Amino acid sequence: MKTYMSLIAALAICTAGTVSAETDNPMVGGAPMYAEKNIVENAVNSKDHTTLVAAVQAAGLVDTLKSDGPFTVFAPVNSAFEKLPAGTVDTLLKPENKDMLTKVLTAHVVAGDWSAAEIARQAKASSDGFYHFKAVSGDALSAQVKGNNVYIYDENGTASLVTIPDVNQSNGVIHVVNTVLVPK
């Protein structure tokens, strides 16, 4: 269980970071994210995404997220998982809860390569100020722009701020988020 938690935390760290002035590769969780690498190859290096990486491994989604895609992944950082009720992550990582874990994780993935600018454009162009779309899990997601920030909402109305947008990958794009999107 500790190994899974460490891996998930590493995935979260991998996707959180800043852009380095010395490189065109954004830094996420203290590691450069390389556009020529796939989502998994980059995520495992992020110290901010170890919980997410462990969850992806426990759910058996590594090969899927290594495939051609393209995928848009809203990648929660470790601190996002820490906001969940006590024991939630440990419960989800149990083998008997693999289906539930898969549902939660795929609620963070959208088919296609969606830049933050395109998501924001769609939201601004809509009559209600939200861009409504479906996650791979089948769950509804909505995006809204507030000031210069993009927020992703789950079906429960929980908002997750995109803290690092447009971390390009060979098979899609990662947007680092600060809250776990929970399906109904």
Side-chain angles (χ1 to χ4, degrees), residues 43-181:
V44 297
N45 295 313
S46 169
K47 295 175 188 172
D48 291 338
H49 291 91
T50 56
T51 303
L52 180 58
V53 168
V56 166
Q57 291 175 333
L61 294 173
V62 170
D63 288 341
T64 300
L65 291 175
K66 282 182 159 183
S67 70
D68 291 342
F71 305 105
T72 297
V73 177
F74 300 103
V77 293
N78 293 341
S79 61
F81 286 96
E82 292 167 7
K83 293 183 202 176
L84 295 172
T88 301
V89 174
D90 288 336
T91 298
L92 286 171
L93 291 175
K94 292 180 179 178
E96 62 268 24
N97 296 324
K98 183 177 178 180
D99 289 343
M100 187 184 325
L101 176 61
T102 300
K103 173 91 167 152
V104 170
L105 293 174
T106 58
H108 292 80
V109 180
V110 177
D113 190 342
W114 289 86
S115 70
E118 180 60 20
I119 293 169
R121 188 185 73 69
Q122 293 285 344
K124 289 177 181 178
S126 70
S127 60
D128 66 356
F130 287 89
Y131 173 54
H132 303 285
F133 53 107
K134 291 273 185 204
V136 170
S137 65
D139 295 281
L141 297 176
S142 299
Q144 181 184 39
V145 178
K146 291 182 182 179
N148 292 328
N149 296 310
V150 174
Y151 291 84
I152 306 299
Y153 293 82
D154 62 23
E155 292 180 331
N156 301 300
T158 302
S160 187
L161 172 65
V162 175
T163 58
I164 303 174
D166 301 324
V167 182
N168 293 315
Q169 316 286 297
S170 66
N171 61 343
V173 63
I174 289 174
H175 302 290
V176 177
V177 295
N178 70 348
T179 303
V180 175
L181 303 167

Side-chain angles (χ1 to χ4, degrees), residues 29-42:
M33 300 289 110
Y34 298 101
E36 65 274 5
K37 291 187 176 185
N38 67 48
I39 291 166
V40 173
E41 290 171 332
N42 275 317

Side-chain angles (χ1 to χ4, degrees), residues 20-35:
S20 168
E22 300 174 8
T23 179
D24 291 335
N25 300 312
M27 296 294 288
V28 176
M33 300 289 110
Y34 298 101

